[in-house]
Amino acid sequence: MRAELPASSPLWISAFLDLAADELERGTAFWAQVTGTTLSTVRGERAEFTTLVPPDGDDHLRVQRRDEGPSRVHLDLHVADQAAAAEHAQRLGAQVVGAAEQGYVVLRSPGGLAFCFVGHPASTRSRPTTWPTGHHSQVDQLSIDVPAPLLEAELAFWRDLTGWRLRRTAYEEFHLLEVPAGQPLQVLLQRLDDDVPEVSVHLDLTTDDVGAELARHVALGARVVTSHDHWTVMADPGGLRYCIAGDPPDDDVPA
């Protein structure tokens, strides 16, 4: 019999681009163009939130103005009961750092990664974008980047928080959470051998034509940082890093 999933198991995952205030306008425009999305109306008590709205399906990418600190990415886990999810996360070693009357809870993982529990209004995955060249691309993965000394604790935390099976990949530094079908984002955990103090997140974008996709991003103001056999590390116009991978985007989504 399959074990019951914890209250913190996500019904939907979305990613927040937390853009530094001086990079907000340029960064928001870049990510809207890169993803083929349109911008929602600005919302929030301080007009700090915007959603990147896809042409079909439910959104999974959002933007937040960050008034202190550099640009970064954090993840939102959509759950039915945010309070119950937060209690379970605390038992696993997370720290609650804030809550809002609107119901969302802000936490940090044992390795210091910021994430939120939010409500669950989404269920339909969007399709990859088709570009004028005929190729496709989509932001479809979160990479949780973990310093090597924190890896074992962080792997256990995300496995037990989500209730999803964790498996190794062909690359010894990568582990994948087995995300249920229909989720908009895959979740990869990557071991970092650099001397960094905390866990962080970056976005991965997949495409069926790497050359065309790289050229499109560079034309929009991104730059190539490093190239590897199966992925290229990029920096957006403000310096926020992300990756472009050569795996074809998954078209198996509801019509």
Side-chain angles (χ1 to χ4, degrees):
M1 181 179 295
R2 184 175 180 178
E4 183 178 350
L5 292 172
S8 54
S9 185
L11 302 168
W12 189 258
I13 304 174
S14 55
F16 251 107
L17 293 149
D18 300 331
L19 300 180
D22 60 351
E23 296 293 340
L24 181 67
E25 183 175 355
R26 178 170 62 164
T28 301
F30 171 81
W31 283 100
Q33 291 174 299
V34 157
T35 57
T37 53
T38 57
L39 298 177
S40 72
T41 55
V42 177
R43 64 188 185 280
E45 293 181 358
R46 297 178 291 108
E48 71 269 39
F49 299 127
T50 310
T51 297
L52 300 178
V53 182
D56 63 89
D58 294 316
D59 73 86
H60 65 278
L61 296 172
R62 300 176 182 183
V63 176
Q64 176 175 234
R65 186 186 69 246
R66 194 176 190 206
D67 294 325
E68 295 182 6
S71 296
R72 66 176 188 183
V73 176
H74 82 261
L75 64 155
D76 278 6
L77 305 181
H78 299 235
V79 295
D81 186 332
Q82 294 94 293
E87 288 179 4
H88 183 65
Q90 287 178 287
R91 289 193 292 270
L92 297 174
Q95 178 185 7
V96 173
V97 297
E101 292 181 0
Q102 295 92 332
Y104 66 86
V105 184
V106 184
L107 305 96
R108 289 191 183 277
S109 75
L113 179 64
F115 69 99
C116 298
F117 286 122
V118 301
H120 176 245
S123 60
T124 304
R125 183 179 174 188
S126 61
R127 292 183 178 277
T129 301
T130 303
W131 301 104
T133 58
H135 80 284
H136 307 81
S137 67
Q138 186 175 41
V139 174
D140 69 351
Q141 184 166 269
L142 282 165
S143 178
I144 301 176
D145 302 324
V146 187
L150 305 176
L151 182 64
E152 290 304 318
E154 205 73 5
L155 288 174
F157 174 76
W158 290 101
R159 179 198 63 208
D160 296 343
L161 186 78
T162 61
W164 299 337
R165 183 173 176 266
L166 186 72
R167 65 176 175 86
R168 295 182 181 273
T169 72
Y171 296 89
E172 64 176 6
E173 69 268 35
F174 296 137
H175 289 74
L176 273 172
L177 284 174
E178 293 190 348
V179 173
Q183 284 282 355
L185 293 166
Q186 303 299 306
V187 180
L188 179 77
L189 289 104
Q190 176 180 358
R191 187 193 71 231
L192 297 181
D193 294 319
D194 301 333
D195 185 18
V196 292
E198 286 187 335
V199 182
S200 60
V201 172
H202 74 261
L203 297 178
D204 289 341
L205 185 148
T206 55
T207 180
D208 52 8
D209 189 330
V210 172
E213 189 67 8
L214 286 173
R216 192 175 68 83
H217 285 237
V218 170
L220 291 171
R223 61 182 176 87
V224 174
V225 178
T226 57
S227 296
H228 302 270
D229 289 343
H230 299 292
W231 69 90
T232 302
V233 181
M234 306 291 292
D236 77 2
L240 185 65
R241 295 196 178 191
Y242 64 100
C243 291
I244 296 175
D247 299 324
D250 181 5
D251 247 330
D252 187 19
V253 297

